[in-house]
Amino acid sequence: MEKINLALSVARDAKILEAAPDKMTVIYGKNHGGASLEGTVGTGHRYIVGDIELLEDHCIPFMLRFYAAGETEERLVYRFGLLPGVKTRVRFDLDYMDAHTIYTTRTPGMLKLVCHGHRITMDECVKIELGIEDAFHDIRVALSDFYLADEEPAEFPLPDIKLVDEFGQWKPKDWPGKVKSFEELESVVRANEGPVEYPEANWDKWGGYLGHKVKEGTGFFSTAKVDGRWYLTDPDGYSYFSHGVCLVGQMHSDARIDGLEKFCDWLPDRDGEYKDFYMEHTMQRTPYMPAEHQVSFGFGKANVYRVYGEKADEQWEKNYNHMLADLGLNTTGSHPTMGWSAKRYCEARGLDFNTFKVPSVPIPYVQQIGMMYPDTETRIYRDFPDVLSEEYKQNAIPFAEQLRPYREDPMLIGYFMRNEPEFNFIEDLVIADEVLYNPAQTACRAGLKAWLKERYETIDALNAAWGSSFASFDDFDKSIRDCSRISKACEKDLREYSVFLVREYVRIPAEACRTVDPNHLNLGLRWSKAYNADMCAGWEYCDVFSINCYSFDPSIDMDFAVKAGVDRPILIGEFHFGALDRGLPATGLKGVTNQIERAKAYRSFVEKTAEHPYGVGTHWFQWQDQFCLGRMDGENYQIGLIDVCTRPYPEMADAMKESAKVLYEVRRGNVPAYYEETEHIPMIGY
């Protein structure tokens, strides 16, 4: 262990109020402020460990920044969240500096930690700085007992305070609509009862628009392009805009409590009446991360059970279908996953999965295929597999088989093959660079080498074109870092080959899925963002191009995809806005000042998507607020359409209903999309 002297810290857009070797209080300036951790570079230790207390009443995204010589912007950053007013021990694993992962495992008290940016070695690093993401005011923080170590800390102590009330609500704050008693809870839950009826008389049973017949029906959802505009059509051929919400029915099953039990006013006996609302399992979020043991408790489910008892699951399903239809939502969005959901359903009822047909539901739905996207034992980078290997092709077969029980269900709009490939979080990533940097002798490396030989025939010709000095093509069997930086010609070639690899990444499983299920729409991969044209490759093997768009203006990402050559309807698989005025200490990935502004942002986003000639749907993320202490990975955002007690946010409910009234006429260009400037704040998300 080697102590870090906090008294040596150098402030940048920050004010150090007091500093001693073992503690420091600092006010980080709201515009990305920070203070250096001196003596942390080049020591050879693996971990930075210390205690942090956020001296505010809400969360904030912290940033551990890594700088290279001569660069004014950080090359890599660890972004993470902490609970307000909770002195928390943090540990930063410097092995993450190679950017091999975006996601990390949680330690008690810390919220989500993600890695963004490009790899940097400790030899290249000249400064490590702890600070904040942009905020709506300056942020006061206390640091203490920071040190460098080769081993993880043995303990992660937390204070004895209560942060969660018996209903799963954030205890330190009050707000309009906060439930204070069982009687209030019962009233809120029972208010959700009612029939499943769309509020618009000109919608058909699918939620399609009887005022616009696009084509003859196929019996399943399909697509059509008419006069330059893409449409989804329902099974009867009418225009269908997928107005939906994700994670319906989840009900805080992933409210993580291990290590945080002392923060809760109430947790029932693990073996008692509420035992079914606990979930204990070991999960591996990504194939390249270590497995992590987790314990969760379903506060939302417990709240419904308190009201309905043994009939809770059956009644809640009726309730949420009523609520969705009443709000003008005609789609239950992504998750739960297909194979997992169907197999779990069969196991619970003693049914044969191989002959199982999914039960009828009253509202159309989409799902994500359950088993992990086809993988290979050796990966190129993060979750990008060796797509040219026979192993990848063979693993696509059982992946696609999960669609089989759903083939004849007309209520299924389509399926997402996966969610947010992690390699896409690196802006301007050149996958061929990673093929060459990874020392493994992969099929992708062999394919690239053969491709270069075919293109240039001799190494002298390649060197002349690239301005390089390779001795032979066998040099491409060795690890090469950032090869595309050699020259513009080199980058052009490697990007061309990268596009081919990404296209294969999509094509192979997509064709396997089409073989198993020719009836339903392949909705793509829910890309995390559209900012790299190379990642749009393979769109032609999907029926719909899907992106998750955390922006106030969806047209920016949609226009990017179209300019990149995508000629498919575009579906927004996730978006949201959150505020701090109703019960949770973090806004999510887009922040606004209050619920009124949330509603305005919602209408503007949805209707602007409908107005776009390629926009065919928006799926809000998510149905219920996240758990205030963090879900499985630490997100704790106020992003629900309902709270933990199942109370709908009235401002959002009104906005959804108003958009539903005009969506289809906005789609046709007969009514202008709603737009009003929104008061927003920097996100509080991680």
Side-chain angles (χ1 to χ4, degrees):
M1 186 178 80
E2 181 179 342
K3 290 187 176 180
I4 296 172
N5 189 342
L6 295 174
L8 301 178
S9 294
V10 178
R12 180 192 55 77
D13 191 16
K15 182 178 181 181
I16 297 175
L17 299 183
E18 57 175 325
D22 62 345
K23 63 181 180 180
M24 174 174 72
T25 302
V26 58
I27 298 178
Y28 294 122
K30 64 181 181 180
N31 297 315
H32 229 61
S36 62
L37 297 176
E38 296 296 320
T40 53
V41 173
T43 64
H45 294 294
R46 177 170 175 176
Y47 298 100
I48 296 174
V49 181
D51 294 336
I52 304 178
E53 184 175 358
L54 172 59
L55 304 174
E56 304 292 344
D57 64 359
H58 57 79
C59 297
I60 203 72
F62 285 89
M63 310 280 273
L64 188 71
R65 302 185 178 99
F66 298 84
Y67 292 87
E71 297 178 4
T72 57
E73 297 294 324
E74 65 268 17
R75 184 179 292 184
L76 180 76
V77 64
Y78 299 176
R79 189 172 74 208
F80 64 99
L82 295 176
L83 294 167
V86 179
K87 186 177 181 180
T88 305
R89 182 153 299 163
V90 299
R91 70 98 172 94
F92 304 113
D93 189 342
L94 299 181
D95 278 4
Y96 298 151
M97 290 173 65
D98 70 357
H100 72 276
T101 183
I102 177 173
Y103 301 117
T104 64
T105 55
R106 286 182 73 184
T107 55
M110 179 179 270
L111 300 170
K112 189 176 184 180
L113 187 152
V114 293
C115 305
H116 288 294
H118 295 269
R119 67 170 58 93
I120 181 172
T121 66
M122 191 56 82
D123 289 341
E124 296 168 322
C125 185
V126 296
K127 182 174 72 169
I128 300 177
E129 177 189 87
L130 181 62
I132 62 169
E133 180 68 279
D134 289 343
F136 65 97
H137 62 86
D138 295 346
I139 301 297
R140 192 167 181 262
V141 177
L143 311 178
S144 58
D145 299 318
F146 268 67
Y147 63 91
L148 294 155
D150 297 320
E151 303 289 337
E152 290 210 40
E155 296 180 345
F156 291 87
L158 292 168
D160 289 319
I161 56 177
K162 296 298 182 185
L163 299 176
V164 185
D165 71 14
E166 64 176 306
F167 304 111
Q169 300 171 117
W170 180 245
K171 190 170 181 178
K173 188 174 182 177
D174 202 2
W175 62 90
K178 186 175 186 179
V179 167
K180 305 291 181 61
S181 68
F182 171 76
E183 290 72 24
E184 287 185 31
L185 175 68
E186 183 175 29
S187 176
V188 167
V189 172
R190 290 192 181 278
N192 299 322
E193 298 172 2
V196 182
E197 297 174 351
Y198 292 123
E200 304 305 313
N202 54 7
W203 287 20
D204 63 19
K205 66 178 181 179
W206 315 101
Y209 186 44
L210 292 170
H212 186 198
K213 181 97 169 183
V214 178
K215 59 189 282 191
E216 288 303 311
T218 65
F220 296 95
F221 286 87
S222 61
T223 66
K225 192 175 187 182
V226 180
D227 298 330
R229 296 185 71 87
W230 274 106
Y231 291 91
L232 292 184
T233 60
D234 68 24
D236 294 326
Y238 291 98
S239 176
Y240 181 84
F241 185 88
S242 185
H243 190 208
V245 56
C246 302
L247 293 177
V248 173
Q250 179 176 314
M251 297 296 289
H252 280 327
S253 60
D254 68 348
R256 192 168 173 187
I257 58 169
D258 51 297
L260 307 176
E261 292 90 346
K262 67 170 69 176
F263 291 159
C264 300
D265 271 349
W266 173 78
L267 284 172
D269 187 337
R270 290 282 298 272
D271 297 319
E273 181 181 4
Y274 290 84
K275 65 180 180 181
D276 291 341
F277 305 126
Y278 281 97
M279 181 170 65
E280 182 170 2
H281 65 155
T282 299
M283 71 167 291
Q284 188 175 11
R285 175 155 185 171
T286 68
Y288 50 81
M289 281 177 61
E292 184 176 21
H293 190 74
Q294 302 183 357
V295 180
S296 301
F297 179 71
F299 281 99
K301 290 182 177 180
N303 287 335
V304 175
Y305 176 80
R306 288 177 175 187
V307 175
Y308 294 120
E310 296 300 324
K311 295 184 177 180
D313 286 349
E314 177 185 349
Q315 185 59 50
W316 176 242
E317 185 174 339
K318 294 178 181 178
N319 286 9
Y320 70 64
N321 280 309
H322 159 70
M323 296 165 75
L324 291 171
D326 185 60
L327 294 170
L329 297 172
N330 60 5
T331 306
T332 56
S334 189
H335 315 341
T337 51
M338 284 179 146
W340 178 83
S341 298
K343 286 182 178 178
R344 188 179 183 191
Y345 185 94
C346 290
E347 288 168 2
R349 293 161 177 80
L351 303 174
D352 182 358
F353 175 76
N354 295 315
T355 59
F356 170 67
K357 290 187 177 180
V358 295
S360 178
V361 294
I363 292 177
Y365 66 102
V366 302
Q367 284 197 18
Q368 182 177 315
I369 299 179
M371 189 176 73
M372 192 175 291
Y373 197 79
D375 196 11
T376 54
E377 185 174 350
T378 300
R379 300 176 194 91
I380 302 302
Y381 175 69
R382 291 191 176 177
D383 56 349
F384 193 87
D386 191 6
V387 297
L388 301 187
S389 68
E390 182 64 23
E391 179 188 8
Y392 184 66
K393 185 184 298 183
Q394 291 303 313
N395 287 343
I397 296 171
F399 170 77
E401 277 297 319
Q402 295 172 100
L403 292 171
R404 193 166 296 280
Y406 297 83
R407 288 179 303 171
E408 304 303 325
D409 186 5
M411 296 300 283
L412 175 63
I413 299 166
Y415 53 88
F416 297 106
M417 291 196 292
R418 66 158 302 172
N419 178 57
E420 296 187 339
E422 283 113 49
F423 58 86
N424 183 54
F425 283 89
I426 302 291
E427 289 192 44
D428 295 323
L429 178 69
V430 181
I431 284 290
D433 268 346
E434 302 302 324
V435 170
L436 294 174
Y437 180 68
N438 188 330
Q441 298 304 303
T442 60
C444 286
R445 181 188 290 274
L448 173 56
K449 180 180 174 182
W451 184 78
L452 291 172
K453 279 184 176 180
E454 182 179 356
R455 171 159 290 196
Y456 289 104
E457 297 184 353
T458 69
I459 197 66
D460 290 338
L462 181 145
N463 285 332
W466 284 13
S468 54
S469 56
F470 293 106
S472 73
F473 283 106
D474 288 341
D475 283 355
F476 290 100
D477 292 330
K478 305 171 186 176
S479 177
I480 306 169
R481 183 177 174 186
D482 299 327
C483 186
S484 65
R485 295 186 183 181
I486 290 175
S487 65
K488 289 292 184 183
C490 173
E491 180 184 6
K492 183 175 181 295
D493 281 348
L494 293 187
R495 283 197 178 276
E496 182 179 340
Y497 197 76
S498 295
V499 169
F500 164 68
L501 293 179
V502 174
R503 184 174 291 114
E504 292 298 279
Y505 175 77
V506 178
R507 179 188 68 81
I508 291 168
E511 290 185 343
C513 288
R514 182 66 67 209
T515 298
V516 174
D517 182 0
N519 297 326
H520 294 107
L521 299 175
N522 184 326
L523 303 175
L525 287 82
R526 305 174 94 240
W527 293 102
S528 58
K529 187 172 175 58
Y531 52 21
N532 185 343
D534 296 353
M535 300 302 164
C536 294
W539 60 264
E540 61 269 40
Y541 297 102
C542 302
D543 301 296
V544 174
F545 188 79
S546 55
I547 49 178
N548 296 343
C549 181
Y550 288 100
S551 171
F552 288 99
D553 184 356
S555 66
I556 296 172
D557 279 17
M558 289 193 289
D559 287 344
F560 182 95
V562 173
K563 289 176 183 176
V566 173
D567 190 17
R568 288 289 185 270
I570 298 176
L571 173 67
I572 307 298
E574 290 183 18
F575 74 109
H576 67 224
F577 316 103
L580 297 175
D581 61 337
R582 302 274 176 86
L584 279 151
T587 65
L589 300 183
K590 283 297 172 184
V592 294
T593 53
N594 55 50
Q595 299 303 310
I596 293 173
E597 298 303 310
R598 231 180 138 213
K600 287 160 56 176
Y602 181 91
R603 282 203 65 186
S604 295
F605 188 101
V606 170
E607 294 180 35
K608 198 167 186 67
T609 302
E611 185 179 55
H612 195 280
Y614 284 60
V616 296
T618 54
H619 296 173
W620 175 269
F621 189 86
Q622 58 184 54
W623 176 232
Q624 187 175 49
D625 284 333
Q626 293 176 331
F627 181 47
C628 54
L629 300 184
R631 67 175 191 179
M632 49 89 183
D633 64 354
E635 288 185 11
N636 63 336
Y637 306 155
Q638 193 274 307
I639 53 174
L641 301 181
I642 62 174
D643 65 20
V644 67
C645 295
T646 76
R647 185 194 301 273
Y649 288 98
E651 299 88 349
M652 289 292 288
D654 290 344
M656 287 181 280
K657 292 176 182 180
E658 289 302 311
S659 285
K661 290 178 182 178
V662 300
L663 271 177
Y664 287 111
E665 287 303 302
V666 170
R667 275 253 73 206
R668 301 184 73 182
N670 295 334
V671 173
Y674 171 92
Y675 177 76
E676 189 170 346
E677 190 69 32
T678 304
E679 292 180 11
H680 50 86
I681 60 175
M683 74 161 187
I684 301 176
Y686 351 98

